[in-house]
């Protein structure tokens, strides 16, 4: 059994204040071009603009669209030399972007709202995932067939800024998360669930849920509760940049966004080929091709859900953002109501999909 690949955001709120104090208020200079060969016999060298893209976590199919955009030449078509930077448990995406270590990054909407609430000048260029990936799972042997039956039970979830969907789910179902359940900090493996240390565990549909199935547990042995279906799902992966970088590099921001969205549509339509690309970038021994195949299948449903067209990939759905911001405010993740008009750089997405 290998460990699940879950973004670590626990240090975000602590780090974000330190970042703010360290950041200069000066505008970022325009991105510098790098001379890169366009390839092919008889073609002249083309000056590509270097853009650094910071991933939310280590290489995996969660970021398949970005890897596909690079492999298929979509960045190069836009005049971009893209450097994809892996994330990890000690890397705070917002810090990387604000400090200029990366030009754009992938983070959760909850983390973006926290960062802005702490004064960091970050904006979203496109909304990558459109639905919550969270599920609550219980073994049928636990006898929990209805959320009300979680009362008095041990429920595990990730802490930091990742527990709020679970808290909202409890309240939506008439449970006081402070009194009616025992909330347990969940690790980055599913060992607590396997060892019956908790009655209910949190799992993303694209990762931990399938880790459980790959362990030999059958779907028929589980009761699964969908956070999104309960109406309390929070938006997750979003493409961010520093506001003054966008102002100084508007056209470049459009081109980066267009390449990434094109990459995602390609990845969704050519999943087998794209998994090969992902496997060429993962850390050897960290995962299996089978797991990445499943991850991309599930991620695709979150990014281009049923009813979405290719042009809608990356779009901002106001209802989903409002719900996410309301939950963040209700549980004290942010101290003041989020100004979504300032948070979302809608013009970048709109120009990218023209």
């Amino acid at each position: 059994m290998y460990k699940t690949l879950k973004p670590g955001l626990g240090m975000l709120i602590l780090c974000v204040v330190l970042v703010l104090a360290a950041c200069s208020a000066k505008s970022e200079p325009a991105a510098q071009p790098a001379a890169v060969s366009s390839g092919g016999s008889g073609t002249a060298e083309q000056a590509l603009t270097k853009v650094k893209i910071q991933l939310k976590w280590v290489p995996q199919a969660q970021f398949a669209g970005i890897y596909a955009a690079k492999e298929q030449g979509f960045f190069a078509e836009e005049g971009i030399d893209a450097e994809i930077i892996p994330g990890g448990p000690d890397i705070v995406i917002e810090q990387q972007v604000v400090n200029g270590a990366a030009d754009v990054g992938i983070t959760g909407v909850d983390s973006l709202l926290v960062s802005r609430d702490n004064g960091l000048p970050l904006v979203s260029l496109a909304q990558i995932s459109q639905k919550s990936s969270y599920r609550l799972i219980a073994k049928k042997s636990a006898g929990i067939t209805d959320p009300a039956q979680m009362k008095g039970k041990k429920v595990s979830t990730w802490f930091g800024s990742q527990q709020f969907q679970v808290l909202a789910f409890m309240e939506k179902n008439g449970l006081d998360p402070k009194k009616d359940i025992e909330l347990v900090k969940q690790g980055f493996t599913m060992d607590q669930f396997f060892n019956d240390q908790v009655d209910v565990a949190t799992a993303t549909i694209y990762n931990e849920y399938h880790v459980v199935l790959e362990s030999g547990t059958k779907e028929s042995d589980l009761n699964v509760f969908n956070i999104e279906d309960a109406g309390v799902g929070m938006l997750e992966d979003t493409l961010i940049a520093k506001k003054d970088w966008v102002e100084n590099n508007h056209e470049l921001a459009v081109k980066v966004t267009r390449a990434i969205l094109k990459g995602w549509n390609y990845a969704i339509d050519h999943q087998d080929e794209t998994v090969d690309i992902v496997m060429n970038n993962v850390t050897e021994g960290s995962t299996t091709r089978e797991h990445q195949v499943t991850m991309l299948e599930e991620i695709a449903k979150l990014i281009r859900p049923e009813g979405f067209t290719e042009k809608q990939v990356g779009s901002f759905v106001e209802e989903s953002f409002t719900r996410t911001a309301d939950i963040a405010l209700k549980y004290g993740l942010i101290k003041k109501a989020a100004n979504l008009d300032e948070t979302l750089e809608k013009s970048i997405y709109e120009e990218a999909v023209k």
Side-chain angles (χ1 to χ4, degrees):
M1 178 57 60
Y2 46 84
K3 292 184 179 180
T4 61
L5 305 178
K6 184 69 187 174
L9 296 176
M11 298 185 295
L12 173 61
I13 297 176
L14 176 62
C15 291
V16 83
V17 178
L18 297 175
V19 174
L20 179 60
C23 292
S24 169
K26 296 179 180 179
S27 296
E28 295 288 333
Q32 296 299 310
V36 179
S37 174
S38 59
S41 176
T43 58
E45 282 199 347
Q46 179 183 9
L48 302 184
T49 302
K50 184 83 169 182
V51 174
K52 296 180 179 180
I53 304 169
Q54 176 66 61
L55 301 185
K56 184 180 179 183
W57 193 238
V58 298
Q60 57 182 7
Q62 182 179 2
F63 315 110
I66 298 174
Y67 284 111
K70 186 175 179 68
E71 182 72 16
Q72 297 303 317
F74 300 151
F75 286 118
E77 288 173 5
E78 299 289 349
I80 295 168
D81 174 22
E83 178 184 354
I84 303 173
I85 306 171
D90 299 322
I91 295 175
V92 179
I93 311 309
E94 293 79 2
Q95 181 178 15
Q96 292 287 94
V97 175
V98 166
N99 287 345
D103 300 301
V104 298
I106 299 291
T107 193
V109 173
D110 51 2
S111 297
L112 171 60
L113 296 178
V114 169
S115 298
R116 287 183 55 84
D117 198 56
N118 281 281
L120 295 188
L122 296 167
V123 293
S124 173
L125 308 181
Q127 181 54 36
I128 305 302
S129 63
Q130 300 293 339
K131 294 181 179 293
S132 170
S133 66
Y134 275 35
R135 305 292 188 270
L136 290 175
I137 59 174
K139 296 175 183 176
K140 282 192 174 176
S141 57
I144 300 171
T145 59
D146 185 90
Q149 294 172 320
M150 294 182 190
K151 186 172 184 178
K153 303 295 185 180
K154 291 183 178 179
V155 179
S156 66
T157 191
W158 305 289
F159 282 15
S161 64
Q162 301 181 80
Q163 72 270 38
F164 299 102
Q165 296 187 68
V166 175
L167 301 184
F169 177 86
M170 296 301 165
E171 287 204 354
K172 181 70 178 288
N173 287 283
L175 297 173
D176 184 339
K178 294 181 180 179
K179 299 177 181 178
D180 292 336
I181 64 169
E182 182 181 343
L183 197 65
V184 178
K185 183 177 181 179
Q186 185 167 309
F188 292 140
T189 72
M190 297 303 288
D191 290 350
Q192 294 156 294
F193 182 74
F194 292 140
N195 297 330
D196 294 321
Q197 293 172 295
V198 297
D199 303 293
V200 181
T202 306
T204 61
I205 191 59
Y206 60 81
N207 195 356
E208 293 82 10
Y209 179 70
H210 290 281
V211 167
V212 171
L213 298 183
E214 289 161 10
S215 75
T217 302
K218 298 177 181 177
E219 286 188 279
S220 59
D221 294 330
L222 298 172
N223 286 319
V224 181
F225 304 90
N226 189 322
I227 297 282
E228 182 74 26
D229 288 350
V232 290
M234 296 176 75
L235 290 172
E236 296 167 16
D237 292 8
T238 196
L239 183 66
I240 65 167
K242 195 175 178 183
K243 185 172 179 59
D244 60 4
W245 183 87
V246 177
E247 291 172 346
N248 293 331
N249 300 277
H250 182 90
E251 189 57 33
L252 181 58
V254 171
K255 290 179 177 180
V256 172
T257 303
R258 182 161 50 226
I260 289 175
L261 298 184
K262 189 174 181 180
W264 266 117
N265 278 312
Y266 186 91
I268 292 168
D269 292 334
H270 304 83
Q271 295 190 24
D272 193 61
E273 176 188 346
T274 302
V275 170
D276 289 339
I277 297 170
V278 171
M279 291 305 295
N280 287 334
N281 287 277
V282 302
T283 302
E284 186 175 357
S286 66
T287 186
T288 66
R289 191 179 193 283
E290 180 184 21
H291 189 70
Q292 294 305 311
V293 166
T294 302
M295 183 179 290
L296 182 51
E297 287 175 353
E298 297 295 349
I299 283 285
K301 298 172 190 175
L302 304 177
I303 293 175
R304 200 170 77 192
E306 186 176 354
F308 257 54
T309 65
E310 288 189 6
K311 279 196 171 184
Q312 287 176 297
V313 169
S315 62
F316 299 108
V317 178
E318 185 175 350
E319 178 186 357
S320 300
F321 266 93
T322 299
R323 181 178 67 238
T324 299
D326 287 346
I327 292 172
L329 181 63
K330 178 176 181 179
Y331 290 103
L333 189 58
I334 55 179
K335 297 180 288 291
K336 56 184 180 296
N339 185 330
L340 296 183
D341 288 337
E342 294 181 358
T343 303
L344 312 179
E345 284 285 349
K346 294 181 180 180
S347 65
I348 300 297
Y349 162 77
E350 289 166 356
E351 290 181 43
V353 298
K354 280 183 180 178

